[in-house]
Each structure stands twice: as C-alpha cells, then as structure tokens.
Amino acid sequence: YKIRSEAIGSLGDEVESLTQYNDLMPYISSFMKFLIHLLGDQNFKISLTTLNIITKIIQIPGVASKAYLPVLIPGLLEKLRDNKIVMRQAAVKVFRELVKLVKEKLMMPKLLHTLQSDNWLQRQEVV
C-alpha cells in the first residue's frame, strides 16, 4: 500500500502543478475512469487524494463533467457514508464544484434519494 500511496500522492502533485491542460485533454476520459476506480479504494490516503484530484480535474475548462456524473455520483455518495469527517468534507467539496458546473436538475434526484438513506452521516452531508 505504501507504493500506491506514494504514487497517488505524486499524481496529485502533478495535477496540482499543471498550468496548461492541453497535454492532459486527450487522455481525460481514461484518466477520469481511473480516478473513479480509485475512489473506491479502501486506503484512506488513496481515496482522499483521489477526491482532491477529481475536484481539480472537474474545474478544468472543457472537461465534460456531465459525462462522468452517472459513474461519479454513486462513488461520491458512498464517501458521504465514511466515518472520517475529512473524507466526507472532501466528497462535499466535489459535489459543490459539480453543482457549479452542471444543472442542479441533473444532480438533485440522486441527492434527494440519499435523504432516505439508512446512514445518518450520508443524510447529514446531503442536507
């Protein structure tokens, strides 16, 4: 797990340091799929760093974040169930960025459905 943690940390640093996104754009679809997969990792650092990278990526002009909503939202909602508040806060940060970028009507049904969840942490963060 140490090598994977170091790798995702390095990846996060690279994304944070980007000033030009032209080199990344041809690979953005594959990169987002990879990040969404990492979102489900059991390692805290990997999941948290992945959330931070996703936040940065969806802020890039030209990234069609709507295309990733059906796959991204379930993973984010699952992170709202996490016992660690820092993980829930990072997931909420991604949701806030998504709400800025996409129409609320695309996200609201999923969020409203979560209010019926049996997990109080998830309900609290959605509210």
Side-chain angles (χ1 to χ4, degrees):
Y1 75 93
K2 289 182 181 181
I3 294 172
R4 290 182 1 197
S5 293
E6 290 175 16
I8 193 70
S10 296
L11 184 60
D13 293 342
E14 287 296 321
V15 170
E16 283 294 323
S17 68
L18 285 176
T19 55
Q20 295 288 327
Y21 304 106
N22 296 337
D23 294 338
L24 179 62
M25 293 310 282
Y27 309 102
I28 198 72
S29 179
S30 299
F31 190 54
M32 280 299 288
K33 289 176 187 174
F34 173 70
L35 291 174
I36 290 167
H37 175 73
L38 286 179
L39 195 57
D41 198 282
Q42 296 300 313
N43 183 288
F44 171 78
K45 183 177 179 182
I46 291 172
S47 293
L48 185 61
T49 305
T50 300
L51 284 169
N52 293 332
I53 293 170
I54 289 172
T55 302
K56 178 73 174 172
I57 294 295
I58 62 176
Q59 294 172 344
I60 296 173
V63 174
S65 55
K66 292 180 203 174
Y68 307 109
L69 286 180
V71 183
L72 182 58
I73 288 179
L76 290 174
L77 290 174
E78 190 60 34
K79 290 300 170 189
L80 294 179
R81 301 174 70 103
D82 199 288
N83 288 328
K84 294 176 182 74
I85 192 166
V86 69
M87 190 70 71
R88 295 192 312 266
Q89 289 172 335
V92 167
K93 186 176 178 182
V94 176
F95 273 119
R96 285 186 180 145
E97 288 302 318
L98 285 172
V99 167
K100 289 180 195 175
L101 298 170
V102 300
K103 295 183 184 199
E104 291 177 13
K105 66 181 179 180
L106 294 174
M107 293 192 52
M108 290 309 288
K110 297 269 189 196
L111 294 175
L112 291 175
H113 179 71
T114 305
L115 292 175
Q116 299 172 355
S117 170
D118 60 341
N119 186 288
W120 71 272
L121 294 171
Q122 200 174 31
R123 291 190 311 264
Q124 176 185 352
E125 294 299 337
V126 168
V127 171

